[in-house]
Amino acid sequence: MCNLEELKQVVLSCSKCPLHPTRNNAVFGNGNSNAEIMLIAEAPGFYEDKSGIVFQGKSGELLDKILAACGFNRNDHVYISNIVKCRPPNNREPNDAEKKACLPYLYEQIEIIDPKIIILLGATALKGLINPNAKITKVRGQWIDWKDRLVMPTYHPSALLRNQNLKRPVWEDFKKVVAKYREMIDPDHYSAHC
Ligand code: URA
Ligand code: SF4
């Protein structure tokens, strides 16, 4: 196993799948590499590809708000990455071959960062990491035991931007994460809202 910085350098110059020629930047992941919470989403979009940083733009703003309501922030409490590290053209979903090529990087990231809690944002993250047949509408909000880690699937922030009705279930799911964080990591964790 290499360290996170070495792995990042491998990813930044990776050409293992057909997403590489159209990318501007591979987006490895950002946050605290010692965090006990890891968030995993789908793939970089337009702004992430331009900047090389995860969750820019509107869904990034919304994610920051959700984290803040939980008393978390990107720099201290979480590490964020995606199922694939390069932007699929026109933001289409990554296909099976692309996911298969890229997933070993995510597995290695998880091993190195070693979070106790993993939050999966959306169907692609759920299917990619846990089970290709799992349905996000069925399993969201329920803890999954996965390789000695606790995994909480919930909806992707971009789904919330399209459908306000998803706000409440996502908030319920994040409240469970805060409760678990207090139970397992920091009993004194402060959050204004839960
Ligand atoms: N930004 C990311 O980094 N990943 C997503 O899935 C969406 C926005
Ligand atoms: Fe490599 Fe992953 Fe980018 Fe494909 S998506 S080129 S496997 S880093």
Side-chain angles (χ1 to χ4, degrees):
M1 187 162 85
C2 53
N3 70 34
L4 201 63
E5 189 51 40
E6 287 163 352
L7 183 63
K8 180 175 177 179
Q9 293 314 316
V10 172
V11 167
L12 294 188
S13 59
C14 175
S15 55
K16 266 202 307 177
C17 91
L19 293 180
H20 86 272
T22 50
R23 74 170 179 233
N24 289 299
N25 291 290
V27 179
F28 180 65
N30 302 94
N32 178 355
S33 53
N34 296 310
E36 295 293 3
I37 302 178
M38 192 162 164
L39 290 116
I40 299 169
E42 179 171 316
F46 179 85
Y47 294 105
E48 293 79 18
D49 174 70
K50 282 258 181 281
S51 64
I53 298 168
V54 290
F55 273 99
Q56 303 293 291
K58 288 246 176 294
S59 47
E61 274 171 37
L62 179 55
L63 182 62
D64 286 339
K65 276 191 197 161
I66 296 169
L67 292 174
C70 296
F72 298 140
N73 67 64
R74 282 193 196 213
N75 292 331
D76 298 318
H77 303 89
V78 302
Y79 188 91
I80 311 175
S81 192
N82 286 302
I83 294 287
V84 298
K85 313 304 192 207
C86 302
R87 182 191 181 210
N90 303 315
N91 297 345
R92 66 162 169 75
E93 260 183 50
N95 66 33
D96 287 347
E98 293 154 358
K99 287 187 278 192
K100 192 161 178 249
C102 210
L103 268 169
Y105 295 136
L106 181 63
Y107 293 141
E108 218 172 317
Q109 269 175 314
I110 295 170
E111 289 300 309
I112 296 169
I113 294 164
D114 197 21
K116 291 196 171 63
I117 295 171
I118 296 176
I119 303 172
L120 299 176
L121 299 172
T124 301
L126 171 69
K127 289 167 188 273
L129 197 72
I130 304 292
N131 173 357
N133 300 315
K135 292 244 183 312
I136 190 73
T137 48
K138 283 236 169 80
V139 305
R140 64 136 278 272
Q142 298 169 44
W143 289 109
I144 299 169
D145 274 309
W146 180 81
K147 299 189 181 181
D148 290 330
R149 304 180 202 282
L150 282 174
V151 174
M152 174 57 71
T154 192
Y155 296 114
H156 192 287
S158 66
L160 264 72
L161 290 170
R162 290 191 301 268
N163 180 358
Q164 289 284 315
N165 294 333
L166 301 182
K167 265 179 107 167
R168 181 175 290 272
V170 167
W171 182 232
E172 294 302 322
D173 301 347
F174 271 88
K175 280 201 288 196
K176 290 184 185 173
V177 171
V178 173
K180 191 62 78 181
Y181 190 84
R182 289 201 181 103
E183 193 183 307
M184 296 175 68
I185 296 147
D186 179 6
D188 299 324
H189 177 71
Y190 175 77
S191 97
H193 299 282
C194 58

